[in-house]
């Protein structure tokens, strides 16, 4: 009898546990669309001068506000919990929309991250206050930007420029609070995995799987 119990613990229980976790939400659902077909960025400049677009990229989108350095801990949280884990994917970008005049502060954030992070997919993009507010308004979110035109939330935008999140009334979520590492490690990471799973599944279905995702 004891031998059977030992065999069950060693062989059967791990298989049951694997099947349980493999059948979880990340493998068998899609992440709802909160706002479809959001507008692309204007002809706004980034720190490195390149044009940044939402098209054909999975984008983690943030709004820095004018007090970027005061909130630098939020970017370190996002960098550690999400960016460094998925930075190898070619179709992924992190975009922070910043008010004009904050270029030097944004560069300080990049300089602080660069000693231990490949920062090539961090994009700080600059626009006027009015342009930032107009862009945010067309996202049609429940949350609002603060008086500095910033928020600690970041948002997931898919390759078709749909803003994704959770629509269930009991756990509605349109963005993820970078001030709380636990929210990034749990809710955001779970939802981000769903997005990646969707695209991997689509690539396999089309017999076109690549290392991009």
């Amino acid at each position: 009898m004891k031998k059977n119990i030992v065999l069950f613990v060693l062989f059967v229980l791990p298989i049951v546990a694997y099947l349980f976790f493999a059948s979880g939400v990340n493998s068998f659902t899609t992440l709802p669309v909160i706002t479809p077909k959001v507008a692309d960025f204007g002809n706004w400049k980034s720190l490195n001068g390149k044009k940044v677009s939402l098209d054909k990229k999975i984008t983690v989108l943030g709004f820095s506000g004018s007090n970027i350095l005061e909130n630098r801990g939020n970017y370190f949280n996002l960098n550690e919990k999400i960016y460094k884990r998925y930075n190898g994917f070619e179709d992924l970008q992190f975009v922070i929309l910043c008010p004009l005049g904050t270029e030097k502060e944004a560069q300080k954030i990049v300089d602080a991250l660069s000693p231990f992070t490949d920062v090539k997919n961090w994009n700080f993009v600059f626009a006027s206050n009015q342009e930032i507010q107009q862009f945010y308004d067309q996202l049609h979110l429940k949350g609002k930007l603060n008086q500095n035109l910033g928020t600690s939330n970041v948002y997931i935008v898919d390759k078709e420029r749909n803003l994704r999140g959770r629509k269930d009334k009991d756990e509605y979520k349109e963005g993820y609070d970078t001030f709380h590492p636990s929210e990034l490690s749990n809710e955001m990471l779970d939802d981000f995995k769903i997005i990646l799973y969707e695209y991997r599944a689509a690539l396999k279905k089309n017999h076109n799987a690549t290392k991009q995702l």
Side-chain angles (χ1 to χ4, degrees):
M1 182 66 179
K2 290 183 179 179
K3 182 178 180 181
N4 291 336
I5 293 174
V6 171
L7 290 174
F8 177 82
V9 171
L10 291 177
F11 297 102
V12 179
L13 192 59
I15 294 174
V16 172
Y18 170 79
L19 292 175
F20 173 79
F21 288 111
S23 62
V25 64
N26 288 330
S27 298
F28 292 96
T29 190
T30 59
L31 196 63
V33 173
I34 301 295
T35 306
K37 298 298 181 182
V38 303
D40 203 358
F41 299 128
N43 190 26
W44 303 333
K45 292 184 178 180
S46 61
L47 273 178
N48 58 14
K50 74 175 182 179
K51 169 69 175 175
V52 177
S53 172
L54 293 171
D55 282 329
K56 299 180 180 179
K57 291 281 188 179
I58 298 173
T59 302
V60 175
L61 174 66
F63 295 80
S64 73
S66 57
N67 53 343
I68 298 179
L69 292 180
E70 292 180 23
N71 300 312
R72 57 187 177 274
N74 295 357
Y75 301 109
F76 284 89
N77 291 340
L78 184 61
N79 188 69
E80 290 298 311
K81 299 300 181 180
I82 306 294
Y83 181 90
K84 289 173 72 173
R85 182 166 184 163
Y86 293 105
N87 184 40
F89 296 129
E90 296 178 9
D91 294 339
L92 173 65
Q93 62 181 356
F94 285 59
V95 180
I96 309 299
L97 189 53
C98 313
L100 287 168
T102 60
E103 289 85 351
K104 289 183 179 179
E105 289 82 359
Q107 186 62 60
K108 289 180 181 179
I109 298 294
V110 174
D111 292 343
L113 293 173
S114 59
F116 52 88
T117 301
D118 180 355
V119 296
K120 67 179 180 180
N121 287 323
W122 273 106
N123 298 278
F124 288 82
V125 177
F126 303 91
S128 70
N129 290 0
Q130 182 179 4
E131 288 171 324
I132 291 172
Q133 188 64 65
Q134 289 176 344
F135 182 86
Y136 186 86
D137 289 344
Q138 59 91 32
L139 298 178
H140 302 298
L141 302 176
K142 293 183 179 181
K144 304 297 181 184
L145 295 179
N146 61 30
Q147 61 184 1
N148 298 309
L149 293 177
T151 174
S152 59
N153 282 352
V154 292
Y155 309 91
I156 297 175
V157 181
D158 67 23
K159 289 186 175 185
E160 288 73 42
R161 304 206 315 266
N162 300 310
L163 192 147
R164 310 287 286 276
R166 304 183 186 187
K167 297 186 76 171
D168 187 279
K169 64 179 182 179
D170 295 326
E171 58 170 12
Y172 176 84
K173 185 165 288 294
E174 59 191 18
Y176 309 87
D177 195 343
T178 57
F179 182 77
H180 299 289
S182 61
E183 184 165 331
L184 300 179
S185 298
N186 295 301
E187 289 97 329
M188 185 173 184
L189 189 58
D190 285 347
D191 292 353
F192 201 77
K193 287 177 179 178
I194 294 173
I195 293 291
L196 296 183
Y197 175 82
E198 287 181 27
Y199 283 106
R200 285 185 176 123
L203 288 170
K204 289 180 180 179
K205 185 177 180 180
N206 295 327
H207 307 289
N208 189 31
T210 73
K211 293 183 178 180
Q212 289 181 312
L213 289 175

